[in-house]
Amino acid sequence: MKITDLLKRESVELSGTPESKGQAIDQMVELMAKGGNISDLQRYKEGVLKREEEGTTGIGEGIAIPHAKTDAVSVPGLAAMLVPQGVDYDALDGQPVHMIFLIAAPNTEDNVHLEVLSRLSMLLMDDEFRTNLLDAADVTEFLAYIDEVERKKFPEEYGEEKQEQNQPEEGYRVLAVTACPTGIAHTYMAAESLENKAKEMGISIKVETNGSGGAKNVLTPEEIEQCECIIIAADKEVDMPRFDGKPVITTKVANGIHKAEELLTEATSGKVAVYHNASKESGSGFGGEEENLGRKIYKALMNGVSHMLPFVIGGGILIAMAFLFDGAHAGTAEFGMGNPFSRFLKQVGDISFGMMFPILAGYIAMAIADRPALMPGIVGGLLAKSGMTMAVEETGWVSSGFFGALIAGFAAGLIMLGLKKILEKLPKALEGTKPMLLYPFLGIAAMGALMVFVVNPPVGAFNEWLNQVLASMGESSRVLLGAVLGGMMAIDFGGPFNKAAYVFGTASIASGQFGIMAAVMAGGMVPPIGIALATLFFKNRFTKSEQQTVATNFIMGLSFITEGAIPFAASDPLRIIPPCIAGSAVAGALSMLFGCGSRAPHGGIFVIGIIDNPLLFLAAVAAGSVVAMLGIVLLKKPLAAK
């Protein structure tokens, strides 16, 4: 669908003067309504704002492309506005936005907004195209220039033959793959930037885009075989085994947009490291940057944690609901299983929650040694959960729990790397037996021996000792532990410290230490709420765009989504992070002091009905939030009036 088919004259404004992002969206929605594309203006605007809450559509380079797909749209449409003086749109590069395109798509159309969005992103990467649009004398010239560029770029849509890119007989010199987490704008912007720069430099290139609609312009085995180097400009996983044995540069998608020339220069230098999939050698990092051991360990751990959390959260909330619906048996041995409905919730929740250790171990192992390591990792996690040892008569089976699963995950990955190395010299005729016979048999045998004889006995004993220590802690020690865990939740807002405290809290639920999870949840709720209070009551210390986040931060804080504080912490870390740590520590300490407990590993205000001492828990969160607010407003000075 052509841009000029969607963009009507009455929906174009060449001299917009919005003073804020909110005003810009209001004016853009009005322009869209003038084109007759919207059946319900208010509902369409709500769709646009909801998309902005997921992440800004200010994609950088002075461009914003807001969009919404909703049944409030009767006909697909576009609106455009130029803002000569610029407007603060919370763009990803922090720069003012001078050009805004708004997309409207009805629910009946299959991803028309994504098709238009990707096309706009590609065209707007051309500096000359942007400049000519900004310099357009009137709407007629503005539309005519878009039509001219579209005709050149997509001649087949005008009934003209498309001139195929000349591919040298020996193949493309450079291949590339671009991908961003959402698979929309930056995927195509990076591809366009690399193609344009390669053309300037006289380098033949083909770029595969891993967008939201799937991979396009897919690289063929012949092209991969013939090329000099492959550039992976991606912020998510892409299909890497096909590049085994070829020089590969890995980098983030933003470098594909902003550092295309440097990437292409490095790709054609002949000095790029070769990628080997089997040994997990990742080729070259852009500019010679290589992942250190600590970064690799962290990525493997986070791979396990990210796959584990849905089981923990879903199962944990079901278990908590079982207790909520079985109040009649509170304090008895049947609590949570006293009626058919609560028994159903408890049993399903237990199964889901019990998957946390095998899933954690399995996906840590998979991050280290790919798919063959998943199986021994899961088996190791199950053995950690069961606590099986060969000294049953003397010690009994004691689960090695979270720590055992961690060890199992990394051990399984290393075991599989070792097996691959040992078995790589087998005859090719036996290659097919590796994934179906040798890897499973040898991997499980080695994993079982390691867990039963080496890991479970000492780690299980440590786990039992730790549970006894936590259970016997005095009040002052529990308060201190709550303060430490609560403060950790606010150090990096979702980073390693935050995740360490959270995972410790979820693992403690399995041990019956519900107070730890309550302290962790209270600490994690404080930063967004504290920032929301500061922006609500002390507006003179924040920009207009920051003031507009009050409702969002309240919702995220009450929902136990600590990441809501990240934009503020990133822009002013020294004045935001320390007060948030202090407030979260206060909330965690008070939660422990008040004897609060949570059987649910997530949910915030939405699971308040199943938190022990719920009113005191809310008081702890409120006190911590006020401490964070006061610290922020003391450190941040009022902004100069414009």
Side-chain angles (χ1 to χ4, degrees):
M1 186 171 289
K2 293 180 286 187
I3 293 173
T4 47
D5 289 340
L6 300 176
L7 189 57
K8 300 177 182 177
R9 297 180 60 85
E10 53 267 34
S11 296
V12 179
E13 172 59 63
L14 301 186
S15 54
T17 57
E19 296 182 358
S20 66
K21 179 177 180 177
Q23 285 188 15
I25 290 175
D26 287 341
Q27 293 177 22
M28 292 300 299
V29 171
E30 291 289 344
L31 284 173
M32 185 67 75
K34 289 180 181 179
N37 303 92
I38 305 173
S39 59
D40 189 325
L41 186 147
Q42 186 58 38
R43 280 200 298 128
Y44 174 67
K45 180 181 174 182
E46 289 172 359
V48 175
L49 294 175
K50 182 179 179 181
R51 170 59 185 85
E52 292 297 325
E53 289 175 3
E54 297 172 5
T56 181
T57 55
I59 60 177
E61 304 291 339
I63 304 162
I65 313 180
H67 49 276
K69 183 178 183 180
T70 167
D71 55 12
V73 178
S74 53
V75 181
L78 265 175
M81 180 167 65
L82 303 183
V83 187
Q85 301 304 316
V87 61
D88 181 2
Y89 200 91
D90 295 331
L92 294 173
D93 60 1
Q95 299 301 310
V97 163
H98 296 274
M99 188 181 304
I100 307 173
F101 284 89
L102 175 65
I103 303 172
N107 280 332
T108 54
E109 296 286 336
D110 292 335
N111 294 326
V112 65
H113 64 306
L114 299 184
E115 295 173 12
V116 176
L117 185 56
S118 62
R119 176 168 296 195
L120 275 171
S121 302
M122 293 172 63
L123 296 180
L124 291 169
M125 280 308 298
D126 189 323
D127 293 337
E128 183 182 358
F129 178 67
R130 295 199 306 272
T131 301
N132 287 338
L133 289 183
L134 290 169
D135 292 343
D138 52 37
V139 174
T140 300
E141 186 174 322
F142 183 87
L143 294 173
Y145 190 68
I146 293 177
D147 183 71
E148 177 187 342
V149 174
E150 267 199 301
R151 185 180 293 274
K152 291 178 180 177
K153 190 73 175 177
F154 309 102
E156 66 277 9
E157 295 185 4
Y158 292 81
E160 302 171 5
E161 289 188 7
K162 183 175 182 179
Q163 293 184 351
E164 297 292 338
Q165 180 180 0
N166 291 326
Q167 178 183 356
E169 291 183 3
E170 66 275 13
Y172 296 101
R173 288 191 67 189
V174 177
L175 301 178
V177 180
T178 62
C180 61
T182 57
I184 305 176
H186 288 77
T187 297
Y188 300 99
M189 292 172 70
E192 188 73 4
S193 178
L194 287 166
E195 287 173 351
N196 290 342
K197 187 57 66 175
K199 185 177 180 181
E200 289 180 20
M201 299 171 68
I203 298 172
S204 58
I205 188 172
K206 178 179 178 180
V207 184
E208 173 183 307
T209 54
N210 283 193
S212 56
K216 302 290 178 63
N217 208 30
V218 176
L219 308 178
T220 67
E222 293 77 15
E223 291 165 348
I224 294 171
E225 178 64 29
Q226 295 172 356
C227 76
E228 292 181 21
C229 181
I230 298 124
I231 298 170
I232 309 296
D235 290 340
K236 68 176 185 179
E237 292 291 330
V238 299
D239 179 16
M240 292 295 292
R242 54 186 166 152
F243 304 133
D244 185 56
K246 298 297 296 185
V248 173
I249 298 174
T250 57
T251 188
K252 54 189 178 181
V253 71
N255 285 337
I257 300 172
H258 303 295
K259 298 184 178 180
E261 184 172 356
E262 293 95 321
L263 278 168
L264 290 164
T265 300
E266 188 169 328
T268 54
S269 67
K271 301 178 181 178
V272 178
V274 172
Y275 167 75
H276 293 295
N277 181 63
S279 61
K280 302 294 287 182
E281 293 177 17
S282 58
S284 292
F286 176 47
E289 294 180 357
E290 298 290 346
E291 283 189 331
N292 57 34
L293 179 62
R295 175 65 179 168
K296 292 178 180 178
I297 292 174
Y298 174 72
K299 285 177 66 177
L301 175 60
M302 286 301 102
N303 192 56
V305 169
S306 65
H307 283 88
M308 174 192 81
L309 288 181
F311 292 89
V312 174
I313 293 170
I317 291 177
L318 285 175
I319 293 170
M321 288 178 65
F323 293 112
L324 179 65
F325 287 103
D326 193 28
H329 292 83
T332 70
E334 292 186 5
F335 188 33
M337 299 279 285
N339 61 69
F341 183 58
S342 63
R343 187 180 304 113
F344 160 74
L345 294 174
K346 182 73 163 54
Q347 289 175 339
V348 174
D350 282 342
I351 290 173
S352 175
F353 196 85
M355 291 298 295
M356 65 183 291
F357 296 145
I359 294 299
L360 172 71
Y363 281 93
I364 288 175
M366 187 174 176
I368 296 171
D370 289 327
R371 191 180 301 274
L374 179 65
M375 170 271 306
I378 288 177
V379 172
L382 286 168
L383 290 170
K385 178 189 174 187
S386 70
M388 178 183 177
T389 72
M390 296 307 292
V392 176
E393 294 180 1
E394 291 79 9
T395 64
W397 287 18
V398 180
S399 171
S400 57
F402 178 74
F403 298 108
L406 277 181
I407 295 171
F410 286 103
L414 295 175
I415 286 172
M416 194 52 62
L417 288 179
L419 286 175
K420 288 181 178 181
K421 193 72 175 176
I422 293 170
L423 299 176
E424 67 181 9
K425 296 182 180 179
L426 284 178
K428 287 188 177 181
L430 297 176
E431 191 70 26
T433 65
K434 291 181 183 179
M436 297 303 295
L437 175 63
L438 297 178
Y439 288 158
F441 168 67
L442 295 175
I444 289 178
M447 195 73 244
L450 179 71
M451 295 302 295
V452 169
F453 290 102
V454 180
V455 176
N456 277 350
V459 180
F462 169 78
N463 223 32
E464 190 173 53
W465 170 81
L466 181 61
N467 290 335
Q468 291 173 352
V469 169
L470 292 173
S472 62
M473 266 188 174
E475 185 173 283
S476 59
S477 298
R478 294 181 70 82
V479 169
L480 178 60
L481 177 62
V484 171
L485 292 173
M488 287 175 67
M489 294 297 291
I491 292 177
D492 50 9
F493 309 110
F497 285 97
N498 175 285
K499 284 292 187 289
Y502 178 70
V503 171
F504 184 61
T506 57
S508 298
I509 294 178
S511 304
Q513 304 294 334
F514 306 124
I516 292 175
M517 189 66 243
V520 167
M521 192 181 298
M525 293 168 69
V526 163
I529 297 176
I531 290 170
L533 291 172
T535 53
L536 177 63
F537 294 115
F538 298 89
K539 292 183 172 64
N540 62 344
R541 287 166 168 78
F542 300 92
T543 64
K544 286 186 177 180
S545 61
E546 289 173 334
Q547 293 171 26
Q548 294 169 357
T549 65
V550 172
T552 301
N553 272 319
F554 269 126
I555 293 170
M556 296 185 81
L558 292 172
S559 304
F560 184 34
I561 302 175
T562 317
E563 287 83 352
I566 288 176
F568 287 83
S571 63
D572 195 0
L574 296 180
R575 294 179 179 85
I576 296 294
I577 296 177
C580 286
I581 293 174
S584 293
V586 167
L590 289 177
S591 177
M592 281 289 200
L593 180 64
F594 295 154
C596 302
S598 175
R599 291 175 173 83
H602 214 288
I605 194 72
F606 299 103
V607 294
I608 194 67
I610 49 180
I611 288 180
D612 300 335
N613 299 321
L615 295 180
L616 291 176
F617 176 81
L618 292 177
V621 173
S625 301
V626 170
V627 169
M629 176 196 72
L630 293 175
I632 290 169
V633 299
L634 286 174
L635 292 177
K636 284 181 75 73
K637 302 301 180 185
L639 300 177
K642 291 186 180 181

